[in-house]
């Protein structure tokens, strides 16, 4: 963003005081991850995840997986799990698929972002502001769970349907 570029050059800049959480790519990646966990046949959500910092595949890697496949993207990815750079991705995705029905959304996303260090990857690729945005995303998961039964499908629907605006400190 323009604000990030100005900060990178040491130019003082006034930041936006309000932001819409769902407009940030890091949050969109988390929503795609949750959407895919609830429906592994969702090829679009998986493609978003594979291209995101969560998995880090290149455009060419994704094309090679997706083009001319006869089944779902998930099946194509699993079929390539012998490839050295695909195997860890399949292992990680399998791990979270096995957990989605047994732990709440906050725990799952916390494990992904903090314990599995995906927040570092998100920050490295999307900029340092992704860290604060993702922490707010985790806070929204807790807030949702305090008012609703904790389900991934419910949380993702909540995130997609609500215009969640947060206020932040503007001194940059």
């Amino acid at each position: 963003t323009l604000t990030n570029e100005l900060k990178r050059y040491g130019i003082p800049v006034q930041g936006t005081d309000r932001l819409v959480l769902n407009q940030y790519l890091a949050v969109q990646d988390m929503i795609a991850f949750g959407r895919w966990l609830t429906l592994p046949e969702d090829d679009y959500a998986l493609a978003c995840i594979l291209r995101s910092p969560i998995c880090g595949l290149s455009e060419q890697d994704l094309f090679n997986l997706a083009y001319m496949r006869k089944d779902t993207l998930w099946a194509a990815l699993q079929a390539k799990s012998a490839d050295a750079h695909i195997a860890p991705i399949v292992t990680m995705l399998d791990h979270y698929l096995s957990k989605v029905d047994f732990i709440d959304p906050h725990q799952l996303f916390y494990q992904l972002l903090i314990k599995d260090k995906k927040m570092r990857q998100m920050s490295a690729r999307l900029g340092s502001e992704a860290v604060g945005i993702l922490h707010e995303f985790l806070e929204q998961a807790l807030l949702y769970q305090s008012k609703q039964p904790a389900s991934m499908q419910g949380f993702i629907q909540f995130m997609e349907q609500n215009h969640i605006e947060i206020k932040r400190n503007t001194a940059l």
Side-chain angles (χ1 to χ4, degrees):
T1 66
L2 178 60
T3 303
N4 284 342
E5 287 300 308
L6 291 170
K7 286 181 359 184
R8 189 169 70 116
Y9 287 102
I11 300 169
V13 61
Q14 191 75 352
T16 57
D17 65 339
R18 295 191 181 276
L19 56 93
V20 177
L21 205 56
N22 296 22
Q23 290 179 349
Y24 282 85
L25 191 54
V27 172
Q28 292 170 7
D29 288 344
M30 293 296 103
I31 290 171
F33 190 75
R35 190 180 312 120
W36 178 78
L37 287 173
T38 61
L39 183 65
E41 295 81 18
D42 186 339
D43 289 343
Y44 178 73
L46 181 56
C48 292
I49 297 162
L50 293 173
R51 284 289 295 133
S52 80
I54 297 167
C55 296
L57 287 186
S58 69
E59 191 78 29
Q60 187 63 49
D61 289 334
L62 180 57
F63 177 81
N64 293 342
L65 271 171
Y67 186 68
M68 302 290 284
R69 71 184 191 284
K70 302 210 184 319
D71 205 346
T72 65
L73 186 56
W74 175 232
L77 187 69
Q78 289 175 306
K80 298 272 187 181
S81 65
D83 293 358
H85 74 288
I86 299 292
I89 294 170
V90 171
T91 300
M92 185 262 306
L93 293 175
D94 263 335
H95 170 76
Y96 285 102
L97 267 177
S98 71
K99 288 184 169 266
V100 71
D101 292 329
F102 301 102
I103 64 174
D104 63 59
H106 179 267
Q107 288 176 309
L108 190 140
F109 285 115
Y110 181 85
Q111 183 177 353
L112 176 73
L113 291 169
I114 308 300
K115 292 184 177 180
D116 290 348
K117 299 179 172 77
K118 297 298 180 183
M119 190 168 312
R120 280 190 197 157
Q121 290 169 238
M122 300 290 272
S123 176
R125 187 147 137 208
L126 302 175
S128 60
E129 75 176 1
V131 172
I133 298 298
L134 289 169
H135 279 293
E136 184 59 38
F137 174 80
L138 289 172
E139 288 296 318
Q140 289 300 317
L142 280 177
L143 178 65
Y144 169 79
Q145 290 169 201
S146 72
K147 298 176 180 178
Q148 305 288 329
S151 76
M152 183 61 72
Q153 186 172 3
F155 175 61
I156 295 305
Q157 187 175 16
F158 167 80
M159 289 300 297
E160 290 176 327
Q161 291 179 351
N162 289 291
H163 181 84
I164 301 167
E165 192 174 276
I166 57 174
K167 184 171 172 65
R168 69 177 182 181
N169 186 351
T170 58
L172 298 177

